[in-house]
Amino acid sequence: MTIKTRFAPSPTGYLHVGGARTALFSWLYAKKNGGKFVLRIEDTDLERSTPESVEAILEGMQWLGLHYDEGPIYQTYRVERYQQIIQQLLAQGDAYYCSCSKERLHELREGQKSRQEKPRYDGLCRHTNNDPQQANQVIRFKNPTTGSVVIKDVVKGDITIQNQELDDLILARADGSPTYNLTVVVDDMDMEISHVIRGDDHINNTPRQINILTALKAELPQYAHLPMILGADGARLSKRHGAVSVMQYRDEGFLPEALLNYLVRLGWSSGDQEIFSLNEMVDLFTLEQVNVTASSFNPEKLLWLNHQYIMHDEPEHIAHYLIWHLNAIGIDITAGPNPVDIVLAQRERCKTLVEMAAASRYFYQDFAKYDEKAVKKNFKAGSEIVLQHLLIQFRELEIWNGTDLHQIVLDTAESLELKLGKVAQPLRVAVCGCAVSPAIDATLALLGRDKTLMRIKNAIDYIKN
Ligand code: GLU
């Protein structure tokens, strides 16, 4: 069997964490099995779907690197095909026109509720042979009334639902537009989807979809319903819990691989392993290892993972993303060191690329002000003498390099009989404007001769005044 999975978002918002996890699991399963991964945009709900949302989904998939083998396929382009299938179901007696008014359906529901019955359509129009030409009719599926449906779910095991529990769902609205359950079934069938991997919020739709597929004599896909993701408060993860859009994580300085690694562990595990490269994920992923129970979103762990990737990934790779963030805060990277060197110097102390970009501004731009606290603590009477001493020796240095710069700082401390910190800290504040930076020799080497000398001179003037 050729494995084919799909991610089928409705474009009614951004690509959120839950959607991204569904996409990742579907993508992984296809890759693991040498299969194909399809992106299908379920945009038939014209009122709620927006082009901006389609863009946001495509952008999110692109940033995560979840490339699809087919698609994006837009359902709005397939309306004729849905109509064809609806006609087929009508012709073979598996669907019927229903003219029940809103008022009747409302009364029916209220009556059922008052008797504490499950609200469901009673099938009145099943046998009335309504004239197709009549206005304001919907088309319903003739769900079997006896027997049961078994969902063979790879994650949750077998789930049996009695057909009596299911009513005749609407396949086409009064305006003729097809409904979600119909379009999904037609697409999964036509696209030969072998595995439907999706959130378990769809599990109630599955027996209905199985019945329609069976009426169409289509082969059933394997189903795998993923447990939901909860926020720290135990409620289903939602906008309330803060950053749930994938692109927001990019904006906050996360790496796509860290987010993917985090997402794969939300509901899946392989022993105690926490860090998985994409290749490892593909190698190890199985649907059988997906947890049955819900998992909780833990922002601290995501941050930890991001830091691990920042520290251990190829610096060139990290620099590629850092440049995006430097540009985003208005830094011209041609005005300073190679971002790869910034990554090497800063990666231990920065958990996100936003932090790293902000903490690296002084390498590229002169600062207008010193950090007040840093000045108070480190620019004392006499600090100008230390800086003057350093300036003279730095000026004489022929080749600007970390080892010699370090030696000059050491020698200065020794000859002025000061602790190293009393030399390095005023120097750091002088050249960075703040009291935190990478090791002083690395900082100076990265800053380069011109910026260093000029900033030391400025600091001497500042202290003197
Ligand atoms: N379009 C549906 C959604 O965004 C998913 C449909 C499916 O995976 O079957 O929730």
Side-chain angles (χ1 to χ4, degrees), residues 55-292:
E55 273 314 305
I57 291 165
L58 298 182
E59 191 186 21
M61 297 289 284
Q62 170 77 27
W63 181 70
L64 287 171
L66 299 179
H67 304 303
Y68 26 92
D69 304 293
E70 284 177 26
I73 298 166
Y74 295 87
Q75 287 192 324
T76 40
Y77 287 98
R78 290 181 40 81
V79 171
E80 253 177 57
R81 173 66 178 150
Y82 306 135
Q83 300 300 354
Q84 197 184 8
I85 293 289
I86 292 169
Q87 290 308 317
Q88 182 188 327
L89 288 167
L90 282 166
Q92 65 189 45
D94 285 312
Y96 62 92
Y97 284 92
C98 169
S99 59
C100 289
S101 65
K102 277 200 181 101
E103 293 72 30
R104 176 175 188 272
L105 295 175
H106 180 74
E107 264 171 44
L108 185 66
R109 233 182 346 259
E110 290 307 307
Q112 287 163 337
K113 274 202 239 161
S114 69
R115 294 189 298 277
Q116 277 163 13
E117 290 168 17
K118 203 164 138 190
R120 61 203 302 276
Y121 180 60
D122 60 357
L124 179 74
C125 290
R126 262 187 174 229
H127 315 289
T128 49
N129 257 335
N130 290 349
D131 178 359
Q133 302 308 324
Q134 204 180 309
N136 280 332
Q137 296 192 97
V138 299
I139 298 170
R140 288 185 185 270
F141 177 63
K142 214 180 253 179
N143 200 79
T145 48
T146 56
S148 57
V149 189
V150 182
I151 311 173
K152 295 194 167 302
D153 194 283
V154 188
V155 176
K156 297 188 184 268
D158 287 1
I159 304 168
T160 305
I161 297 100
Q162 299 304 320
N163 272 321
Q164 272 176 342
E165 301 271 316
L166 308 169
D167 60 358
D168 292 348
L169 69 93
I170 296 175
L171 300 175
R173 302 181 186 92
D175 64 3
S177 61
T179 58
Y180 158 73
N181 277 300
L182 186 273
T183 57
V184 165
V185 160
V186 177
D187 286 350
D188 286 342
M189 175 178 78
D190 285 357
M191 293 165 198
E192 298 179 335
I193 300 299
S194 66
H195 289 72
V196 169
I197 300 169
R198 61 183 172 196
D200 66 4
D201 48 333
H202 284 289
I203 210 152
N204 287 338
N205 294 318
T206 308
R208 302 166 187 280
Q209 294 177 9
I210 290 178
N211 280 338
I212 304 175
L213 284 165
T214 308
L216 292 170
K217 300 190 176 47
E219 219 176 291
L220 295 184
Q222 285 273 356
Y223 290 95
H225 287 94
L226 309 175
M228 56 182 166
I229 305 174
L230 306 176
D233 56 0
R236 186 181 205 104
L237 191 69
S238 71
K239 283 187 197 159
R240 276 187 308 113
H241 296 99
V244 286
S245 147
V246 160
M247 296 318 281
Q248 195 172 328
Y249 287 103
R250 176 199 60 183
D251 296 349
E252 290 178 5
F254 289 86
L255 289 160
E257 45 272 60
L259 187 56
L260 288 172
N261 193 149
Y262 184 70
L263 291 175
V264 83
R265 289 285 293 105
L266 267 183
W268 175 84
S269 55
S270 178
D272 294 334
Q273 192 170 336
E274 286 293 354
I275 298 182
F276 299 87
S277 69
L278 211 50
N279 284 340
E280 270 178 306
M281 285 184 211
V282 171
D283 272 357
L284 296 169
F285 188 77
T286 65
L287 286 171
E288 285 72 19
Q289 281 162 288
V290 172
N291 301 344
V292 181

